[in-house]
């Protein structure tokens, strides 16, 4: 019987059976273009830090480390090579000349250096070894002080002892008499030939119970009554003045202050310098003529007449300087001057000088 396809039924049945068997035996092929997924590994692979770096980074690090090592070696080598000459007592690397055998000057206060026992060697440049350097270094002669090279005339004289039981002569040096010599060389200041006490000066005596405290100078003095009056103190500590007199070269005044000159060992010398300084408060061209020179309880008094000219006419003033020592401070000075046109007040000089007290 035909199956409608031009064949017999048996033929159809026979051809279909092998086809199914072939399909069953053929293995399943994978689809084209699809890759199989890799299976994840059980543990990730660990990489070192150095393995992650590129080779050029490693080369740069090695170059920097090498440069630092070379610099460190050079620094250590230079330090040890210069240490022997830079450190105290090190041997010098250059040639050393033989030390000079010159003796210290006569004005030196240091003891003389004994001459070396070895014969003197000529001064020349040599290349000594370490043992030769130790024999030629100037350690045999001690270093000279600045006074050894200075002339004897420039060395200041040592201060003399004042005679006090506790004075050892090592206190602050007292000034020498060079300032006094210079003052006496001034043609305006004559030499003090002999001491003489101050007598009563002309004028009327005025007594006063009032006093003025000069705290800066550490003394007190009388406050004179009228016509005297207190005036501006500068440049002194205290100042009292009389009314201006017609035709006088300057104004009468009584002042006190610490002595404005160099303090000398003798109060008389200090008073001499102070008297010369007071010429600055008199007319130009004034000259001193000594009247009195006497000691005080703690100082010295100098009274003098000051001669000068005013408008071509000779005039004068009576003046006095009293210097007194103040414990722990500079000596105090009292200075009074009255022109001859007010000679009726010259007795106030006696009053002022006798009123000077400590505190």
């Amino acid at each position: 019987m035909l199956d409608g396809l031009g064949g017999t039924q048996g033929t159809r049945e026979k051809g279909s059976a092998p086809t199914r068997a072939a399909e069953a035996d053929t293995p399943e092929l994978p689809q084209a273009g699809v890759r199989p997924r890799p299976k994840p590994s059980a543990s990730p692979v660990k990489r070192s830090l150095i393995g992650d770096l590129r080779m050029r980074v490693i080369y740069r690090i090695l170059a920097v480390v090498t440069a630092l090592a070379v610099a460190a070696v050079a620094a250590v080598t230079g330090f040890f090579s210069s240490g022997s000459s830079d450190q105290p007592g090190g041997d010098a690397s250059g040639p050393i000349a033989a030390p000079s055998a010159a003796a210290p000057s006569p004005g030196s206060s240091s003891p003389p250096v004994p001459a070396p026992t070895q014969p003197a060697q000529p001064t020349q440049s040599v290349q000594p070894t370490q043992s030769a350097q130790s024999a030629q270094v100037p350690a045999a002669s001690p270093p000279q002080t600045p006074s050894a090279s200075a002339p004897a005339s420039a060395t200041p004289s040592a201060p003399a002892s004042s005679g006090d039981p506790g004075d050892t002569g090592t206190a602050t040096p007292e000034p020498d008499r060079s300032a006094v010599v210079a003052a006496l060389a001034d043609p305006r200041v004559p030499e003090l030939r002999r001491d003489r006490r101050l007598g009563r000066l002309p004028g009327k005596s005025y007594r006063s119970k009032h006093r003025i405290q000069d705290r800066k100078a550490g003394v007190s003095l009388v406050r004179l009554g009228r016509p005297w009056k207190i005036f501006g103190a500068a440049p002194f500590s205290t100042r009292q003045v009389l009314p201006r007199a017609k035709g006088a070269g300057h104004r009468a005044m009584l002042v006190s202050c610490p002595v404005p000159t160099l303090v000398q060992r003798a109060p008389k010398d200090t008073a001499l310098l102070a008297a010369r300084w007071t010429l600055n408060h008199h007319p130009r061209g004034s000259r001193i003529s000594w009247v009195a020179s006497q000691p005080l309880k703690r100082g010295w008094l100098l009274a003098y007449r000051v001669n000068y000219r005013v408008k071509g006419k000779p005039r004068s003033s009576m003046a006095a300087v009293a210097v007194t020592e103040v414990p722990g401070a500079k000596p105090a000075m009292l200075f009074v001057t009255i022109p001859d046109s007010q000679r009726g007040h010259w007795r106030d000089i006696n009053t002022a000088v006798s009123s000077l007290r400590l505190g």
Side-chain angles (χ1 to χ4, degrees), residues 102 232 292 352 355:
S355 70

Side-chain angles (χ1 to χ4, degrees), residues 91-104:
D91 297 336
S93 59
I96 301 178
S100 176

